Amino acid sequence: MKNVTLFFIVTLISISTFSQPSDNPPSNKTVIRLTILNENGDILMKKTDYGWMTIATFHTQRQNINEVIDSLSNLYGITIAKPYLRGVFTYKYTFKASADIRQVYEAKYINGDLESVKGNHNLMWLPKEEAIEKLKETVPSLGEMTQQTLDFPNAIWGGSFLLSRDKDDKLNSQMTESFHPLGDNQYEIQSESSLIKKTLEKYMEGSSYNKPEMLESAFTENATLYLTGKDGFKIYTPKEYVAFFKNGEKGEFNGRNAKVLAIEVMKDIATAKVEISIPKREMIYVDLFLLKKFEDGWKIISKTATRTDNN
Amino acid sequence: MKEMLLVLLIVFMGISVKAQESIVTTFHRMLVFNKENKLLVVKIKDKKLWVTPGLYQNSKQTIKQGIDSIASTYNIKVFDVELRGMYGLKNPSQNYYSTRNIFVMKTDSVDVLLPNIIGEAVWLDVNEAVERISIPHIQFFINDVLIYPNDIRYGTVERFESNGKLKSKISEKFYSRKQF
């Protein structure tokens, strides 16, 4: 019996020694995420304990990317076309000391019946807008990465998020490095315009659908808004401007139609022109904006407006 | 004694499983070109090892922060950072896989400081630089990304030692994963 014990102890010590890390340092984790689209452009979604997600796996095995992606699609019983890389993002956390990688790939669905996946009834195809809304509900970064890579597929995107947990343990995220193309610099000028358009969309959707948080997020805190109000032409803060929309039903269209007329980019600053029409009141306004690129994206630093209809 | 053996057996099995776990890492390799289109190649101090700068993704830094911080250790600023390759690197004798991201970037800086672990740094024409680099898989990756400048390249290399020399072979042919 003594010999058996000795054998175990010697073996145990030798295994412990061999399992020490070699010259390979510990690494932060990588998640391989797949946006799979069917012929209607619907996205394959999976319901998890955290909420709705696109399908994904941690890269923890000695497998190359092809093998990881193949095993992932096989797991759900489907065949997909060649996946293309759309983005490489970094996640940092308020609750752990690491910076993980998210590789986002996009692939077209070829065949395979989701119903055939035994015991898996939480998979479904959802239209793009609905899918992105659900992803944002799970964690905003997930929806934002998916939306960015789907809306602008001609570049490979980078960007970073800080993830936190609220008091109910729900995941939240804040963009800490705005989306930027990781390569193909000719695309950069176009992409800056697209990023500015996204900021303007927050202004347009926030003001047309009475969404105060979204509207305020388009501006820097100290932005200056030169507007003509009851008291004449004066300077407003973003908070004062957002308050104009406080009486409207949140999320309900208030009759303001908005469209971007022009964007001009000069490195990290830009100008933009947006038309606001309110058919019910036969009013047309033109908004002029100054924007500046910050670490967390483009923000409106100033705005003025004038009425352009003939009334 | 029986209980003791049982405990040892459980610990033994636990460690065995742990020992079989894969090590998966991510490394960002930086190909820094100066105004004259020369590539920065550096020699590891006290070793006959020439490489390009780079870093493991193992700290609380984003990719951009990591690249900027390594550049700052050489007292250079980099811009136009492009991801050009995401290769795999395997060791046949180990349960090891590493994603090797290749970033091409530019700098206007002329003078280079040497970080503690670096013995020498030189700017070389690409061909000369590739020849100087002493690790075969790095040579493979650089040659491949420079042949396909508007692409994002993938593929896998296995590295091994033969007669005391570091060697590499391509185990998954290099290919594109960018949609044109």
Side-chain angles (χ1 to χ4, degrees):
Chain A
M1 185 55 81
K2 266 186 186 169
N3 288 342
V4 175
T5 311
L6 190 66
F7 166 77
F8 267 118
I9 289 170
V10 169
T11 315
L12 198 139
I13 288 167
S14 70
I15 288 175
S16 292
T17 307
F18 282 116
S19 64
Q20 294 297 312
S22 59
D23 60 339
N24 304 313
S27 184
N28 296 349
K29 287 194 164 62
T30 294
V31 169
I32 312 286
R33 189 164 286 287
L34 261 177
T35 310
I36 300 177
L37 302 167
N38 68 11
E39 58 190 15
N40 302 321
D42 298 338
I43 300 174
L44 179 59
M45 299 279 285
K46 183 189 178 190
K47 194 172 186 186
T48 70
D49 292 342
Y50 304 101
W52 287 93
M53 293 186 167
T54 47
I55 65 173
T57 186
F58 280 102
H59 190 185
T60 54
Q61 298 300 313
R62 190 178 178 269
Q63 290 179 312
N64 62 41
I65 297 297
N66 269 335
E67 290 164 338
V68 176
I69 289 172
D70 283 350
S71 58
L72 191 56
S73 59
N74 289 341
L75 183 68
Y76 297 102
I78 56 170
T79 307
I80 56 172
K82 178 182 177 180
Y84 293 104
L85 180 69
R86 294 290 192 234
V88 182
F89 305 96
T90 318
Y91 269 20
K92 288 168 69 169
Y93 308 87
T94 56
F95 49 87
K96 63 174 178 171
S98 67
D100 296 341
I101 304 286
R102 296 288 184 272
Q103 293 179 21
V104 176
Y105 294 83
E106 183 188 317
K108 297 266 184 260
Y109 163 83
I110 296 178
N111 57 38
D113 186 359
L114 293 180
E115 290 301 315
S116 70
V117 184
K118 281 181 187 168
N120 204 336
H121 301 291
N122 292 323
L123 289 167
M124 63 167 72
W125 297 102
L126 288 178
K128 182 185 152 195
E129 280 70 28
E130 192 183 341
I132 285 169
E133 199 64 35
K134 284 194 182 302
L135 294 171
K136 285 181 180 172
E137 281 168 19
T138 303
V139 55
S141 56
L142 182 54
E144 287 162 20
M145 287 186 304
T146 309
Q147 185 168 26
Q148 179 71 13
T149 53
L150 285 173
D151 285 352
F152 306 102
N154 294 329
I156 292 161
W157 292 95
S160 301
F161 295 91
L162 180 68
L163 269 77
S164 57
R165 288 189 196 283
D166 64 20
K167 59 181 188 300
D168 301 322
D169 220 26
K170 192 188 173 311
L171 273 178
N172 214 331
S173 67
Q174 181 199 338
M175 186 181 272
T176 52
E177 279 174 13
S178 58
F179 292 130
H180 53 275
L182 286 173
D184 201 351
N185 288 318
Q186 290 167 342
Y187 190 79
E188 197 153 7
I189 293 161
Q190 277 182 19
S191 73
E192 294 301 348
S193 299
S194 67
L195 296 171
I196 290 165
K197 200 171 167 209
K198 278 192 172 292
T199 300
L200 294 174
E201 278 165 1
K202 285 181 190 167
Y203 163 77
M204 295 189 295
E205 189 179 333
S207 58
S208 297
Y209 288 87
N210 311 311
K211 296 181 176 176
E213 295 86 5
M214 181 184 281
L215 179 56
E216 199 173 338
S217 72
F219 294 92
T220 55
E221 232 178 278
N222 59 356
T224 48
L225 288 80
Y226 298 90
L227 301 170
T228 306
K230 285 178 203 157
D231 309 326
F233 189 67
K234 60 174 270 195
I235 299 175
Y236 293 84
T237 65
K239 278 203 188 304
E240 287 170 331
Y241 179 69
V242 167
F244 296 161
F245 299 89
K246 69 180 179 196
N247 294 329
E249 184 72 27
K250 198 175 173 184
E252 197 171 286
F253 182 59
N254 59 21
R256 285 168 57 103
N257 293 306
K259 67 176 176 189
V260 178
L261 299 179
I263 293 171
E264 194 172 337
V265 191
M266 188 63 67
K267 290 184 78 175
D268 58 346
I269 56 170
T271 59
K273 194 190 286 185
V274 169
E275 184 187 85
I276 307 288
S277 63
I278 310 168
K280 220 173 171 180
R281 293 159 66 185
E282 296 182 340
M283 292 166 125
I284 299 174
Y285 287 89
V286 166
D287 292 340
L288 297 180
F289 297 94
L290 287 178
L291 297 104
K292 163 87 180 155
K293 189 179 185 182
F294 296 96
E295 273 290 301
D296 60 343
W298 286 91
K299 298 271 183 188
I300 299 166
I301 55 173
S302 193
K303 164 192 144 101
T304 190
T306 193
R307 201 168 158 184
T308 60
D309 58 82
N310 294 323
N311 294 321
Chain B
M1 182 54 86
K2 266 187 187 169
E3 283 87 355
M4 191 183 164
L5 269 177
L6 189 67
V7 170
L8 278 172
L9 188 67
I10 290 168
V11 174
F12 175 84
M13 285 168 69
I15 290 173
S16 295
V17 169
K18 182 81 185 156
Q20 285 168 20
E21 274 181 13
S22 295
I23 300 164
V24 177
T25 67
T26 300
F27 187 87
H28 308 302
R29 184 156 300 287
M30 298 161 61
L31 307 186
V32 186
F33 287 88
N34 69 8
K35 275 182 179 173
E36 290 154 358
N37 210 30
K38 292 192 174 186
L39 180 62
L40 179 61
V41 187
V42 299
K43 183 178 173 292
I44 309 289
K45 199 180 259 180
D46 304 327
K47 285 187 179 179
K48 289 179 183 172
L49 211 55
W50 285 88
V51 293
T52 65
L55 71 153
Y56 277 97
Q57 179 69 32
N58 60 359
S59 66
K60 202 183 172 184
Q61 285 183 315
T62 67
I63 297 173
K64 187 176 181 299
Q65 288 169 337
I67 286 173
D68 287 344
S69 72
I70 291 294
S72 72
T73 63
Y74 290 91
N75 197 31
I76 60 173
K77 279 196 171 170
V78 294
F79 58 93
D80 283 358
V81 178
E82 293 186 19
L83 176 66
R84 297 276 286 276
M86 291 186 85
Y87 301 94
L89 181 66
K90 289 181 175 180
N91 277 9
S93 57
Q94 294 175 28
N95 215 3
Y96 172 84
Y97 184 90
S98 185
T99 301
R100 299 313 233 214
N101 294 336
I102 309 293
F103 288 92
V104 173
M105 60 202 73
K106 293 176 190 165
T107 185
D108 286 339
S109 307
V110 178
D111 296 323
V112 173
L113 283 185
L114 297 182
N116 283 340
I117 59 159
I118 299 299
E120 211 177 320
V122 288
W123 296 99
L124 297 174
D125 288 332
V126 171
N127 290 340
E128 205 185 333
V130 172
E131 216 166 280
R132 179 75 63 94
I133 287 166
S134 21
I135 300 180
H137 69 259
I138 302 177
Q139 295 173 319
F140 290 171
F141 298 156
I142 296 175
N143 280 330
D144 191 52
V145 297
L146 295 179
I147 290 170
Y148 299 96
N150 299 314
D151 208 341
I152 174 85
R153 304 291 294 170
Y154 279 67
T156 309
V157 169
E158 294 205 2
R159 67 176 172 193
F160 56 96
E161 267 191 31
S162 174
N163 298 326
K165 271 195 159 183
L166 198 57
K167 304 236 169 173
S168 300
K169 68 169 183 192
I170 296 172
S171 59
E172 183 193 29
K173 203 175 158 191
F174 295 159
Y175 63 97
S176 165
R177 204 174 271 289
K178 184 173 174 186
Q179 194 171 24
F180 291 99

